[in-house]
Amino acid sequence: MNSTIEVQISALEERLRQAMLASDVAVLDELLAPDIIITSHLGERLTKQDDLAAHTSGAFKIDELQPSEQEIQVHGEAAIVSVRMQVVGSYNGNPTNGNLRYTRVWAVTTSGQWQIVAAHIGLIA
């Protein structure tokens, strides 16, 4: 059963990656829980609205997002994903390139859909 959930989460992670690359706010809105807790690579606490606004305004632009070292752990109706990402892009016109480690917690909502309820981004030195 967990392998089925792992396949679902892996597909959702790819859908998220494609939405981030395209700044597809509609898909991001669907995948992020309304009360998601996001911690940036600078330790800032961000909301769903902060994340969507950065994509909507064009302030955050991702040109490349290459995943590696992905691990998925399933815990009942929650899944934890750790994935390394090579990011090439810009924020407010300034380059934001580097290796990042994303940790995301996916949970089943009351409607039965998976959404990200927490995310942490760490800079890999």
Side-chain angles (χ1 to χ4, degrees), residues 7-102:
V7 170
Q8 288 176 324
I9 296 299
S10 183
L12 287 168
E13 281 283 320
E14 178 58 20
R15 189 166 180 231
L16 175 66
R17 188 180 80 82
Q18 292 299 326
M20 291 171 69
L21 282 166
S23 286
D24 187 334
V25 176
V27 172
L28 293 171
D29 185 46
E30 179 186 329
L31 296 177
L32 303 178
D35 55 352
I36 186 174
I37 296 171
I38 303 169
T39 305
S40 79
H41 68 291
L42 299 174
E44 301 165 310
R45 166 69 166 87
L46 304 173
T47 65
K48 178 178 182 172
Q49 292 72 28
D50 295 330
D51 189 67
L52 296 179
H55 284 280
T56 301
S57 69
F60 190 41
K61 175 71 177 127
I62 301 173
D63 300 313
E64 292 180 33
L65 196 58
Q66 296 300 319
S68 64
E69 301 175 20
Q70 184 180 66
E71 179 182 348
I72 300 171
Q73 293 181 359
V74 178
H75 301 276
E77 292 190 340
I80 301 167
V81 176
S82 175
V83 62
R84 183 177 185 150
M85 290 281 188
Q86 175 64 44
V87 180
V88 176
S90 61
Y91 185 75
N92 287 329
N94 297 313
T96 56
N97 306 329
N99 279 302
L100 301 172
R101 169 87 52 199
Y102 287 80

